[in-house]
Amino acid sequence: MSTPHKRAMEAVLEAADLDIKAALEERGISDKHSEEADDTILDVAILHAWRIFVRINEAQGLTVDPGLFVDLASELAEDMAEDREQ
């Protein structure tokens, strides 16, 4: 991974970390190892992925397709689940 890519990834992760902390606080979740915390972290991760998907599509002059995002995310989740089973 190139240096600019590493910096960009670090910036995205820092933003997600701040959003996760804020979301946990807003929801009154103090146990970071609870199912509620897991759900909150997943919500933030999906929201960040959606924002990135939208920005990439817009930068490429493409129409943003929420259905495509859902399909791709579902396929990725299935692939990852299969990889873990092996």
Side-chain angles (χ1 to χ4, degrees):
M1 186 180 294
S2 69
T3 300
H5 285 105
K6 286 179 186 177
R7 282 192 214 142
M9 181 60 72
E10 288 171 7
V12 168
L13 293 175
E14 285 180 36
D17 188 49
L18 292 173
D19 287 348
I20 288 167
K21 287 176 184 174
L24 290 172
E25 188 176 303
E26 286 173 8
R27 296 178 186 188
I29 300 169
S30 58
D31 180 5
K32 293 182 181 180
H33 302 287
S34 68
E35 187 174 328
E36 294 161 326
D38 290 345
D39 290 343
T40 299
I41 292 167
L42 184 59
D43 289 347
V44 172
I46 291 169
L47 179 58
H48 276 261
W50 168 251
R51 289 175 179 160
I52 291 167
F53 180 77
V54 168
R55 295 287 298 267
I56 290 169
N57 276 276
E58 288 174 347
Q60 297 299 316
L62 302 171
T63 302
V64 176
D65 182 352
L68 177 60
F69 177 80
V70 170
D71 291 344
L72 293 173
S74 295
E75 287 176 23
L76 177 60
E78 288 172 11
D79 290 348
M80 292 181 76
E82 288 175 10
D83 288 348
R84 285 189 177 169
E85 290 174 3
Q86 297 177 359

